[in-house]
Amino acid sequence: MSNCRVCSATVRKFFDFGRHPLSSAFLTPGEADDDREFRFRLAIGVCASCTMVQLMEEVPRELSAHRGYPYHSSNSTVMRKHFQATAEGFLATELDGPDPFMTEIGCNDGVTLQTVRDAGVRHLAFEPTGVDGVRTHHAFFDAAAAREVRAANGPADVIYAANTICDIPDIGSVLAGVDELLADDGVFVFEDPYFAEIVDRTSFDQIYDEHFFFFTGRAVHFLAEHFGFELADVERLPVHGGQIRYTLARAGRRRPTPAVEELLAEEAARDLTGPTTLSRFTADVARIRTDLLDLLRSLTADGKRIVGYAATAKSSTVTNYCGIGPDLVPFICDTTPSKQGMLTPGAHIPVRPPEAFSADYPDYALLFAWNHAEEVMAKEQGFREAGGKWILYVPDVHIV
Ligand code: TYD
Ligand code: ZN
C-alpha cells in the first residue's frame, strides 16, 4: 500500500509488473556478471480520493536522474519541430508583453529555449546537468531554486516543462516552486503522456521508473486547485504516443477554456480510472505479453532473425515484463553512442550502433520506438525493400 503524492489518500494498486531495473541503467558486459543490479517493484495504482494514477514505489532521485543518458529531442525531426512550434506559440501569446521571461524545467536538449533565445527573449533552464546554448540554473526545480531565480530575474511569464513533471514524485515541491516564481498573470504549462492514450493503445511501456505520474484531466484539475492554481486550458498533442499539454494559472486569473470542461466530461463519461476500465487495461497488457512472446518464439523457431530497434526507456518495461532476452532478440540497435556496446537493463540485450542493423538486415525488427514509427519507417525504407518486416506491439501485436 502507498499514499498519494498529491493528496495523501490511499493508492490502490491495479497492476504489478514485478521487480524491474531502472530503465536507464545500461550495464557494461562485465557488470552483467555480478548480481547486484538494482531493482524496484514496478507497480501502478490509482488514488482512491483524487484519482491520480501513480507508481506504487518511488525510486530515489539520485538513482534515476537519467544516469548520463540525457534525452535528445533534436535527434527526432518531429520532436525538434514540435518544440520549435511550442516556443513560437509562447512568443506570440504569453511572451508578447514588455521584457518577458520564460523558464523551463528540465529542458531536454534546449530546442524550445534556443528558439526563445533567438527571438531575443529572456530565458532560463532549470537543469542540474546543464545544456548547451541556453542560460541554465544548475539545480532541480523547487521552492528554493525558484526563489533564487526570481530574486535575480523577476517573475516568469511562462514556466514550461515537457516530459518532466510526470517524473517528479514530490509534485508538491514543484507547485511550491511555481508559486514562488510565476508572475501573477503567468502560466505554468506542462506536457506529459496522457493516461487515456495509454489505456486506449495499451501502451504499458510508458510505465517505467521515470514516469511516476500518469496524468488525467480530472487529476490535474484537482492537483491545480489543491495547490492554489486553476486548470485554465488543455490541449491534446500527437507526440510520444499521445500527450496532453496542461496550462495552469493562479486561481481566478484566467477563465478556463471550454476544452477543460470537455475533457473532464469525456473522462467522466468513460469512467477513465474506474475499475472496469482498469481491469480491461490490465487484461490487455497480459494479452500483449502472451501474443508478443508467442510471435517471437515461433519466428525464432522458424529460423528468422529478429533485431530490436531503439533501446528506449520503454523497451525496458517490455523486455523485462515479457521476459525477452538475447535468445529472442540478439541485439537492439540504437543511435545513442553512450548506449552502444552496453547491455540493456535487466534483460541484458546487447546494444549496437545502427550500422549493425543496416549492414546485415534481419528478417524482422521489433520497434521499441513505436512512437516515432512514421519517421523511423521512412528512414529505413532499405530494410523493407530488402524484405524486412516490422513487429509492433502497440496497440496490439502485429506485423507491418
Ligand atoms: P524515445 O521513444 O524518444 O524515448 P524513451 O527512451 O523515452 O522511451 O526514444 C529514444 C531512444 O530511441 C534513444 O535511445 C534513441 C533511440 N532511437 C533510435 O535509435 N533510432 C531512432 O530512429 C529513434 C527515433 C530513436
Ligand atoms: Zn490523491
Side-chain angles (χ1 to χ4, degrees), residues 54 82 90 106 128 133 144 154 157 206 219 221 261 287 290 310 320 341 369 377 381 389:
Q54 54 202 284
H82 170 75
F90 285 135
D157 301 292
Q206 296 278 2
H221 183 261
E261 201 48 55
R287 181 179 44 79
T290 308
N320 288 298
M377 289 181 191
Q381 273 175 18
K389 293 194 172 72

Side-chain angles (χ1 to χ4, degrees), residues 64-103:
S64 73
H66 299 293
R67 297 226 327 180
Y69 300 95
Y71 177 69
H72 293 296
S73 44
S74 58
N75 283 349
S76 158
T77 318
V78 174
M79 291 312 297
R80 171 182 282 277
K81 283 197 187 130
H82 170 75
F83 288 122
Q84 280 167 347
T86 299
E88 281 153 14
F90 285 135
L91 288 166
T93 55
E94 304 295 336
L95 300 172
D96 61 350
D99 194 24
F101 178 40
M102 167 158 171
T103 63

